[in-house]
Amino acid sequence: MPERGNAPLVRLDPWAETDFDLLRRINAPEMTEHLGGPETEEKLLERHRRYVDIVGKGTGRMFSIVLLPDLQQVGSIGYWERVWHDETVYETGWGVLPEFQGRGIAAEAAVAVIALARAERTHRYVHAYPSVGNPASNAICRKAGFQFVAEFDGEYPPGNAIRCNDWRVDLTTELTAEA
């Protein structure tokens, strides 16, 4: 892997029951602008339960992003199975709290989560699908070593049309992220 320079140090902690407050903070309007807006409390509780339970199902993993050395929770990241073009792949997604954005934290967390998905040796690809109108998430994909595949029309949440970019990493090859 290339030299990461002055990249921040992050640790990924498995999602826990105690992380619901972090999920609430991530659910803010400025954090969900490209995702159809904040979820209701009921939907947020359902999401939290999925995050806690995903490891036991063997279909992915969710994490809180912890900034070192201060041990501050600054966001979330994970990967989960989905079928994409008739193939089961991992999808990844992340969110870093506004006060910590712009420091390279999401890109470092993405590199770490790709390594974890690669170590599972389950699926060939991990994909990210940021909105074409979300320059920050698209830049994170580039910095974390994803390759651009194509634009497509999708829905997120269901019923909300969104134009997305399809980025992917081949988990059978070594990561070549930008320095």
Side-chain angles (χ1 to χ4, degrees):
M1 187 184 316
E3 175 61 38
R4 301 299 297 159
N6 292 325
L9 294 174
V10 298
R11 182 179 78 202
L12 303 185
D13 287 349
W15 197 263
E17 288 288 350
T18 55
D19 291 331
F20 186 66
D21 185 56
L22 175 62
L23 189 58
R24 268 198 179 119
R25 293 176 64 204
I26 293 168
N27 192 47
E30 63 272 20
M31 293 286 297
T32 59
E33 174 185 356
H34 299 285
L35 301 171
E39 293 180 302
T40 65
E41 185 76 3
E42 180 181 350
K43 291 286 185 189
L44 207 58
L45 285 165
E46 289 172 14
R47 177 178 297 279
H48 177 62
R49 179 58 32 219
R50 284 193 313 271
Y51 285 8
V52 170
D53 294 344
I54 193 170
V55 170
K57 294 180 179 181
T59 58
R61 298 176 67 189
M62 288 302 299
F63 304 92
S64 64
I65 303 170
V66 178
L67 185 61
L68 301 175
D70 301 332
L71 301 179
Q72 289 180 283
Q73 282 190 319
V74 298
S76 69
I77 193 165
Y79 58 94
W80 52 91
E81 288 182 341
R82 73 164 298 163
V83 175
W84 183 247
H85 300 297
D86 299 320
E87 179 181 10
T88 302
V89 299
Y90 284 128
E91 178 178 351
T92 187
W94 52 79
V96 172
L97 296 169
E99 62 268 31
F100 297 98
Q101 292 175 4
R103 300 184 194 180
I105 293 168
E108 284 302 304
V111 168
V113 92
I114 290 165
L116 292 169
R118 177 176 281 121
E120 290 197 15
R121 300 181 190 273
T122 303
H123 301 300
R124 180 169 182 184
Y125 296 110
V126 61
H127 289 257
Y129 307 107
S131 161
V132 298
N134 186 340
S137 281
N138 285 285
I140 291 163
C141 289
R142 278 188 296 279
K143 289 177 184 173
F146 286 80
Q147 299 299 309
F148 178 75
V149 178
E151 286 187 18
F152 70 97
D153 291 318
E155 286 187 16
Y156 192 85
N160 181 54
I162 185 172
R163 185 81 177 157
C164 296
N165 285 325
D166 177 9
W167 294 87
R168 81 176 179 201
V169 170
D170 187 335
L171 297 174
T172 65
T173 62
E174 286 304 310
L175 189 63
T176 56
E178 288 182 11

